[in-house]
Amino acid sequence: MTRRTLAVVSAGLSQPSSSRLLAGQLAAGARRGLPGGGGGAVGLRGPAPAHPHNLLTGFPPAGLREALDTVARADGLIAVTPIFNASYSGLFKSFFDVVEEGSLADKPVLIAATGGTARHSLALEHALRPLFSYLHAVVVPTAVFAAPEDWGGATAQGALASRINRAAGELAREISRREPVTVIDPFDEPTPFEELLAS
Ligand SMILES: Cc1cc2nc3c(=O)[nH]c(=O)nc-3n(C[C@H](O)[C@H](O)[C@H](O)COP(=O)(O)O)c2cc1C
């Protein structure tokens, strides 16, 4: 059975972060539906200053390179942002601004967000979904938003858990019906120097 991998990107800034908590619950849900599912968590808080550096120089520093590779090699992606000023945060956007062209093409993506008010839940539909559609990802139908009241009380937590399970199940199904991602490294088998000279 082929092991399928998930990349989990969270742009939460607080310590502890509700976005990271939501990302973890979505990942646990998706892994339940994936045979031998593994993968990497990418917290954007750490390599944050690297994003503008990459935009200016065109070269990602080591930590950011690792995060970009984790995303490119994954069979599926969970992307979670806090809502800032009715949209994704700048940190979240700057990371996806430096993701290499094509690395999200046909990749199943689950989008999610946390916010201070449920009134801004549609930011998922007017900001995140178009961003990932532009990057040619396949965004699963259920997007998950968690407002402060969703974390407290059994009824609210149960409702959030059922949205998480539905979205995670959709992501796992999209991943399962695709071939595992293979990333070809152009430097794996370089043309020998003599051959280059001869031509
Ligand atoms: C600068 C700033 C702007 C914010 N703007 C909004 C907003 O427009 N709508 C909203 O629902 N929450 C807004 N919030 C609240 C955060 O989205 C919310 O606290 C989020 O859950 C924090 O995520 P974290 O715990 O992962 O850091 C804002 C917070 C900050 C710091």
Side-chain angles (χ1 to χ4, degrees):
M1 199 176 279
T2 318
R3 188 168 180 267
R4 313 312 295 271
T5 57
L6 266 181
V8 185
V9 173
S10 162
L13 294 178
S14 316
Q15 302 262 46
S17 153
S18 57
S19 306
R20 202 159 43 245
L21 178 64
L22 180 59
Q25 294 188 1
L26 288 164
R31 287 198 181 108
R32 279 195 289 277
L34 288 170
V42 178
L44 298 186
R45 196 175 187 273
H51 307 176
H53 179 273
N54 188 173
L55 281 170
L56 291 171
T57 63
F59 293 99
L64 180 57
R65 176 73 274 155
E66 205 180 310
L68 294 170
D69 288 345
T70 299
V71 168
R73 292 193 188 121
D75 294 304
L77 169 67
I78 293 172
V80 189
T81 181
I83 298 297
F84 281 6
N85 297 342
S87 188
Y88 36 62
S89 72
L91 179 61
F92 183 85
K93 178 64 161 54
S94 67
F95 178 73
F96 288 101
D97 283 348
V98 296
V99 161
E100 278 102 355
E101 199 184 337
S103 69
L104 292 187
D106 198 41
K107 199 184 292 293
V109 177
L110 193 173
I111 53 174
T114 63
T117 167
R119 287 190 204 100
H120 283 172
S121 58
L122 281 177
L124 282 163
E125 303 302 330
H126 69 65
L128 275 85
R129 197 176 289 278
L131 168 66
F132 287 100
S133 297
Y134 174 77
L135 295 170
H136 294 177
V138 176
V139 186
V140 299
T142 303
V144 180
F145 186 90
E149 59 270 24
D150 290 317
W151 302 108
T155 314
Q157 278 183 17
L160 177 60
S162 89
R163 296 202 296 281
I164 288 172
N165 286 338
R166 190 170 65 193
E170 289 169 4
L171 182 69
R173 275 193 298 282
E174 280 300 324
I175 292 173
S176 302
R177 62 188 204 207
R178 286 173 167 73
E179 292 297 316
V181 166
T182 48
V183 177
I184 298 159
D185 184 345
F187 302 111
D188 260 357
E189 288 181 31
T191 312
F193 200 52
E194 303 79 50
E195 218 173 283
L196 283 173
L197 282 176
S199 63

